[in-house]
Amino acid sequence: MSPTLGTVVALLSVLSLPILLLVAAPAVAQTPTAGKPKVDRLVMGLITPYLDYVRPWINGTADHNIQHDPMLEWLVEVDAETGQYKPWLADSWTLGANGRSWRVKLHKGVQFHHGYGEFTAQDVVHTHALWCDPTYPGRKDPPVSGYRAGICQVQKIEVVSAHEITMHCKVVCLDMPFYYSSASNLMIFSKKQWDAEGEMGYDRKPAGTGPYIFKERQLGRYVLYERAPTPHWKHGVVDWKEIKMTWTLEESTRFAQLIAGETHLTEVNKDLTDELVTKGYKLIRSRTTAQQMQINFGGLYFGTEDKVTGRYTEYGGTTGKFDPKLPWANVKVRQAMNKAINRKELLKVLYKGRANPMYVHGFYPDLEGWDPTWEKRFPAMYGYDPAAAKRLLAEAGYPKGFKAKAWLYPFAGAPEMIAVMEAVALQLREVGIEIALEEADWVAAVRPKLQKREASGYLWAVPPSKKAVEAQLAVFNVGKGIGHIFQTDEIYKMWEELLQITDAKARDAQLRKIGNYKFEHFETIPLFDVFIEVVVDPKIVADWPFPGWDGGDVGHTWRITACKQEKPCK
């Protein structure tokens, strides 16, 4: 381990300890009763709410899903154990022969909260229109979200009956199950509530179909839910009378809150996680890979606008956004920066070995488009070699390196992210690249800059959630989301071709072609495929099976089960 990185990690651990002295006494729990939860209210110690409202189509992100998870539901569930798609509000979905339509059968008998009646096809039509109809009556703000392009590949929803629809797509839409699943952010809202209360009724008292009902919110502090008065149509009677989601950016404070009994589960870095485990707390990991940790090069806006086709015209377009003087606009600089990174050290020190190598953003071994040669080619192209990094910098015209900036901000599901960015800055310094670190707010400062393509000259870390590969391309590579991490006309053309392919083998080959283009152009600084880890108080919580695909963070809150025995549930 290098002395500089070790010093940073040790300092972070030491600084967290004094906070413990300031924590209030733990909340008083009810007297334990055999066979029952030991507390009525489960308190979740989470990092950030992202957005403090319910309507997901407004500047939405899947990381916002957690607030919707207890009370609203999707057509398709990402299975908690396997990560596979399974029925939810939709009983089944059948692809049409041309790949441009889906026949969807909806579950019967599902009731909305607050007396708004049975879930039907009209609620799906309404929810789709909230996202895709630019002039939908009653909606005040235009819909903006990274997944909107994929959601709106469905051009029209034909109502066959109260519980059957046909989705008609404007392109080949094989990834519809993803865009309408709990990995995306199109949860189903009540049409009757909209008609009765208007748009703001969803924020005041949203009517969902989930096992919990929204109770109250304090902006920036918490959201409180209560168990529905009748058994849920799918999950029956869930364990907790109430679930409270609290938000605390400071990691040391979240650590202290758990120790003091103020929360019952939380997310902290690997060092603090291991410390909590030694104190008797229980580590729970997402059942499948959840995220990819990577560093992005701000300003790779190589794509050119085309107003006729709509290519790269979102959010003000690309005209004038690309700076040719940007050092990492040169592919040799991007390769040099990759070869300056000691991934083995980061994996050992910051992740304690609990992560897997990442090769290409948005591609996973169990999804289409994977190329097994990436693993073999990675060491020569990306592997740690400071001497080669300096040589590449010199060839690119930067023999003495250069100066740049990086944003620092916390991110739900990725408590190591700030430490990763700090450690990467230290390693880049060794080859002459000086990175000035700027603390920033993700929602208020960073996201608007990214959306407007104003991130040139900044490195920025992010842990994109696992998702369908086409969705990754749409959000991050072809301008359909806020990320804009690496945009070229070549990628855009390959993506357009992808949306016309129905044959599975041809589609897999096309995605592999795109993946290799990204791999060979050093699109990002890829680091690790990671699981989400949460730490729970085993006296209160027995288990929490969640897939890691729920938006960008945790989900399946109705599967947090209570410890109902006298001894802690290990």
Side-chain angles (χ1 to χ4, degrees):
M1 182 178 72
S2 69
T4 49
L5 181 54
T7 301
V8 169
V9 174
L11 180 59
L12 289 174
S13 298
V14 170
L15 289 176
S16 70
L17 296 179
I19 304 295
L20 297 177
L21 301 177
L22 304 178
V23 178
V28 177
Q30 66 188 45
T31 303
T33 304
K36 294 183 178 180
K38 299 182 181 69
V39 296
D40 288 336
R41 175 185 291 178
L42 175 74
V43 183
M44 303 173 67
L46 304 177
I47 299 174
T48 174
Y50 290 97
L51 304 170
D52 249 328
Y53 50 82
V54 169
R55 295 159 292 158
W57 58 88
I58 301 176
N59 205 25
T61 165
D63 304 296
H64 184 206
N65 278 13
I66 187 63
Q67 293 189 56
H68 303 82
D69 184 88
M71 59 184 178
L72 289 136
E73 297 182 298
W74 289 254
L75 292 182
V76 179
E77 181 184 0
V78 175
D79 183 69
E81 299 290 349
T82 67
Q84 301 298 308
Y85 301 133
K86 61 183 288 189
W88 201 343
L89 288 175
D91 285 337
S92 64
W93 47 94
T94 305
L95 182 65
N98 63 359
R100 292 173 180 254
S101 67
W102 290 86
R103 180 61 67 94
V104 182
K105 294 184 179 180
L106 308 175
H107 197 76
K108 297 178 180 179
V110 178
Q111 296 295 315
F112 279 102
H113 304 150
H114 314 313
Y116 278 109
E118 185 177 0
F119 158 70
T120 70
Q122 293 300 330
D123 301 300
V124 182
V125 172
H126 162 69
T127 302
H128 175 265
L130 288 172
W131 287 84
C132 302
D133 184 345
T135 60
Y136 193 59
R139 191 193 56 219
K140 297 180 176 61
D141 296 292
V144 176
S145 171
Y147 289 148
R148 183 171 179 265
I151 291 167
C152 300
Q153 287 176 0
V154 175
Q155 191 169 34
K156 177 186 176 183
I157 296 181
E158 174 190 354
V159 176
V160 178
S161 68
H163 293 94
E164 188 169 353
I165 59 175
T166 299
M167 294 180 168
H168 299 280
C169 305
K170 54 190 175 184
V171 294
V172 173
C173 53
L174 303 189
D175 285 315
M176 183 283 293
F178 167 80
Y179 284 113
Y180 288 74
S181 78
S182 54
S184 180
N185 45 352
L186 190 140
M187 55 291 292
I188 302 299
F189 287 85
S190 165
K191 174 68 162 60
K192 289 183 179 179
Q193 184 180 24
W194 179 275
D195 292 341
E197 301 181 40
E199 179 177 3
M200 295 312 296
Y202 288 171
D203 266 354
R204 287 191 298 267
K205 195 177 181 181
T209 56
Y212 293 94
I213 296 174
F214 174 86
K215 188 172 184 178
E216 66 182 43
R217 172 195 304 275
Q218 280 199 14
L219 294 179
R221 293 189 59 199
Y222 69 82
V223 182
L224 182 63
Y225 309 85
E226 60 184 349
R227 187 165 58 202
T230 57
H232 185 256
W233 66 273
K234 185 174 184 178
H235 308 300
V237 179
V238 287
D239 279 355
W240 313 101
K241 290 184 178 179
E242 293 182 332
I243 289 181
K244 184 177 183 180
M245 295 180 183
T246 64
W247 321 111
T248 304
L249 290 177
E250 297 80 12
E251 187 169 51
S252 55
T253 306
R254 294 196 306 278
F255 177 89
Q257 288 170 334
L258 184 67
I259 292 287
E262 294 181 339
T263 63
H264 305 125
L265 61 88
T266 194
E267 300 174 89
V268 290
N269 68 51
K270 299 291 188 290
D271 281 313
L272 294 179
T273 292
D274 291 348
E275 183 177 342
L276 287 167
V277 170
T278 64
K279 294 178 183 293
Y281 292 85
K282 181 179 180 179
L283 168 63
I284 297 176
R285 305 173 76 193
S286 59
R287 297 308 202 244
T288 64
T289 301
Q291 300 173 333
Q292 290 183 317
M293 177 54 66
Q294 64 190 46
I295 309 291
N296 299 311
F297 301 106
L300 299 183
Y301 314 133
F302 298 112
T304 55
E305 290 177 44
D306 182 352
K307 293 184 179 180
V308 175
T309 63
R311 183 182 68 199
Y312 294 131
T313 57
E314 299 88 349
Y315 315 123
T318 60
T319 299
K321 301 298 175 67
F322 174 63
D323 177 7
K325 296 180 180 179
L326 180 66
W328 50 67
N330 188 315
V331 67
K332 289 187 176 181
V333 173
R334 299 199 297 276
Q335 184 177 17
M337 294 175 71
N338 266 285
K339 294 189 79 64
I341 306 305
N342 189 336
R343 291 171 174 81
K344 289 183 179 179
E345 183 179 46
L346 298 179
L347 179 61
K348 177 182 178 182
V349 176
L350 298 180
Y351 287 91
K352 310 304 177 188
R354 302 199 294 269
N356 297 317
M358 172 189 171
Y359 304 117
V360 184
H361 165 239
F363 286 76
Y364 295 82
D366 59 340
L367 298 183
E368 56 188 346
W370 181 257
D371 189 335
T373 71
W374 291 332
E375 181 179 3
K376 298 176 182 178
R377 296 155 60 195
F378 194 86
M381 295 181 67
Y382 287 78
Y384 180 54
D385 188 340
K390 291 178 181 180
R391 184 178 64 253
L392 286 163
L393 287 173
E395 292 173 2
Y398 299 96
K400 296 182 180 180
F402 57 86
K403 294 182 179 180
K405 300 176 181 179
W407 283 308
L408 285 181
Y409 45 87
F411 208 97
E416 298 83 13
M417 197 170 78
I418 288 179
V420 166
M421 189 71 254
E422 292 171 332
V424 165
L426 288 173
Q427 293 182 348
L428 290 173
R429 184 188 301 168
E430 296 299 314
V431 299
I433 300 174
E434 294 288 339
I435 303 295
L437 302 174
E438 295 183 3
E439 292 187 3
D441 182 274
W442 167 249
V443 173
V446 178
R447 289 186 77 219
K449 290 284 187 182
L450 298 177
Q451 181 170 310
K452 297 175 183 177
R453 297 184 177 91
E454 296 175 351
S456 188
Y458 281 86
L459 296 178
W460 53 287
V462 74
S465 58
K466 186 175 180 181
K467 54 180 69 74
V469 183
E470 185 278 324
Q472 300 273 14
L473 300 173
V475 170
F476 294 104
N477 294 111
V478 300
K480 306 305 179 184
I482 68 165
H484 309 304
I485 66 171
F486 180 59
Q487 300 177 167
T488 74
D489 294 343
E490 290 81 4
I491 289 182
Y492 202 100
K493 183 175 185 298
M494 289 187 284
W495 173 76
E496 285 186 312
E497 292 169 350
L498 177 72
L499 297 184
Q500 305 304 320
I501 298 173
T502 57
D503 179 74
K505 289 185 177 179
R507 178 180 166 89
D508 184 69
Q510 181 72 0
L511 283 170
R512 188 175 299 107
K513 178 181 177 182
I514 297 172
N516 274 292
Y517 180 92
K518 285 152 62 88
F519 180 79
E520 292 161 7
H521 284 79
F522 301 91
E523 167 195 37
T524 68
I525 299 176
L527 297 175
F528 308 111
D529 289 350
V530 298
F531 296 82
I532 291 178
E533 295 186 352
V534 294
V535 186
V536 306
D537 182 343
K539 299 187 298 295
I540 306 299
V541 175
D543 198 9
W544 184 6
F546 65 97
W549 276 56
D550 288 312
D553 196 13
V554 291
H556 281 66
T557 49
W558 63 91
R559 297 199 66 175
I560 308 176
T561 54
C563 182
K564 300 176 182 179
Q565 62 189 37
E566 184 177 350
K567 295 181 179 180
C569 294
K570 296 295 186 180

